[in-house]
Amino acid sequence: MDDVYNLEVISPNRHGGIILHISSLPSKYGIGTFGKSAYEFADFLKKAGIKYWQVLPLGPTSYGDSPYQSFSSFAGNPYFIDLEMLQEDGYLKEEELDLDFGDDPRHVDYHKIYTHRFQVLKKAFHRYREKNPGDIEARGPYIEEYAAYMTIKKTQDNKAWNLWEDSLKDPHSEEVKKQLDIHQEEYQFHLFCQKIFFEQYFKLKEYVNGQGIQIIGDLPIYVAEDSADLWAHQEDFLMEKNHPSVVGGCPPDGFSEDGQLWGNPIYNWNRLKEKDYEFFHERMLCNLDLFDILRIDHFRGLESYWEIPYGSKTAATGHWVKGPGVDLFRRFEEKYGKANIIAEDLGYITEEVIEFREATGFFGMKVMQFAFNPEGESDYLPHNCTRNWVMYTGTHDNETLKSWVEKAPKKEVEFAKKYLKISQEEGMVWGIIRGAWSSVCDIAIAQIQDFLEIGDEGRMNAPSTLGNWTFRVKREELTDELAEKIHDLNKLYGRIR
């Protein structure tokens, strides 16, 4: 009998990806933007044969600068507006950009960004108004809520809404309408920033998609307490007077004896179900408009979530509560069609969570750094994986691979070396990347920090600490040689189609 090759067993969906948040792009203005460097990075990805560019949430950030604690689930971060594009459009002058935004090419100085960025954007806003008199059209009611929230917030010393004067805590009150009339210019300024943000972003996305690259975005499961989302939609959350009655987090585990106390308000799922999950679905729709694929953070919290009484000092006082489960996504699909979703199903996983993800059909996640405990068979090891997974070397919450190799238990590093047959010439970092790329998982993704073999200074986030989200890549690091090396990896393991 002649040899027969069944080409159907070869997945057409094998591709590689790189994590690099917008804030981490090179820029002479202190933080990455939707400007020239973003287009250059898209060119780099194309040369490297990369299909997916993964970013973090793009919302405006609050205290701590975390993209997972945003003033709005629907608005964009004004920090990402490119100032040189505003200059080209005639809204800024070159000398107005000569401010101290921070000169460290490796780290963002958020204090300097906060101090100076809005000064410049205000100048652009005033020139825009001179050329375009009249009200600025908002990109939907949620952007109007955000602009109103930020306007009132400024009159209240930038405090969270539940610390405002009582007459302002109700977004529909006459006093809120009065204050918005008084401070109409501030309100229009926030609408202007959102208008420019989305114009610049979608122009970039069109270019990225035109290069054959898709953008993977990120949706935090919860909203922030200090947010337009909670202020304007209090009825959709479990509330007591003017604050949440319970908040989210993670239970104590081997990594933290107190667990993780996030402090985010928890949805009133019973009420949301009665409203066909409108608010959560709107959050999904907004992000699916921005991104080609959407990663849902803390996906397991939609099956069961850790509920902690408001005011608790640690997460240890919490307990498990059932979430909406498959019904949330079944109803979404009935109304809007199938969504391209990656379920961040890491952490404490039960049989119910596994069944939940399998019922949705979404991609799950594997992380190479969690695979190499030689004392037990890990389902993160490549030989235990199947196609419908995304294999990460590490996520934004992990150490970089270089740091992991330096700090992990010696037995785990040695097991990884033996398992992946890593030679001294290849080195541990690229050996682990190769292991991810060689896996049967349809998608393999690594942080740019791992491809650059950067250590501790490249860590994006250490959970439950401050001073994160500052990493920046240097322009000179994104070389043609690196792109060619990544391209060869993609070609070797069939991740170029």
Side-chain angles (χ1 to χ4, degrees), residues 99-165:
L99 293 170
D100 183 8
F101 296 105
D103 56 5
D104 184 346
R106 180 61 84 207
H107 296 287
V108 178
D109 186 328
Y110 281 105
H111 175 73
K112 290 181 178 178
I113 296 294
Y114 177 79
T115 301
H116 295 129
R117 178 62 62 118
F118 289 106
Q119 293 178 16
V120 177
L121 290 176
K122 278 282 177 72
K123 293 177 181 178
F125 164 65
H126 290 307
R127 283 205 186 88
Y128 176 88
R129 288 290 290 256
E130 289 172 2
K131 297 181 180 181
N132 303 277
D135 290 346
I136 298 171
E137 184 177 356
R139 190 175 183 266
Y142 294 102
I143 298 300
E144 292 177 343
E145 292 170 357
Y146 164 75
Y149 186 72
M150 298 306 290
T151 300
I152 304 295
K153 185 178 176 68
K154 186 174 182 180
T155 72
Q156 300 295 298
D157 297 323
N158 287 314
K159 291 181 288 190
W161 69 272
N162 48 12
L163 299 176
W164 296 353
E165 297 174 11

Side-chain angles (χ1 to χ4, degrees), residues 386-449:
T386 53
R387 287 181 179 172
N388 198 35
W389 296 90
V390 183
M391 176 62 84
Y392 288 84
T393 57
T395 74
H396 61 272
D397 284 334
N398 296 123
E399 294 178 302
T400 66
L401 277 183
K402 182 179 180 183
S403 293
W404 181 85
V405 170
E406 292 171 349
K407 299 177 183 180
K410 185 176 180 181
K411 63 181 180 180
E412 292 189 21
V413 177
E414 288 301 314
F415 180 66
K417 184 176 181 179
K418 181 178 181 181
Y419 178 89
L420 296 168
K421 294 188 180 299
I422 299 173
S423 67
Q424 185 173 353
E425 181 182 5
E426 180 183 33
M428 288 297 300
V429 171
W430 274 87
I432 295 172
I433 294 173
R434 174 174 55 78
W437 255 246
S438 68
S439 73
V440 73
C441 299
D442 273 344
I443 302 175
I445 296 179
Q447 297 186 92
I448 191 65
Q449 296 96 308

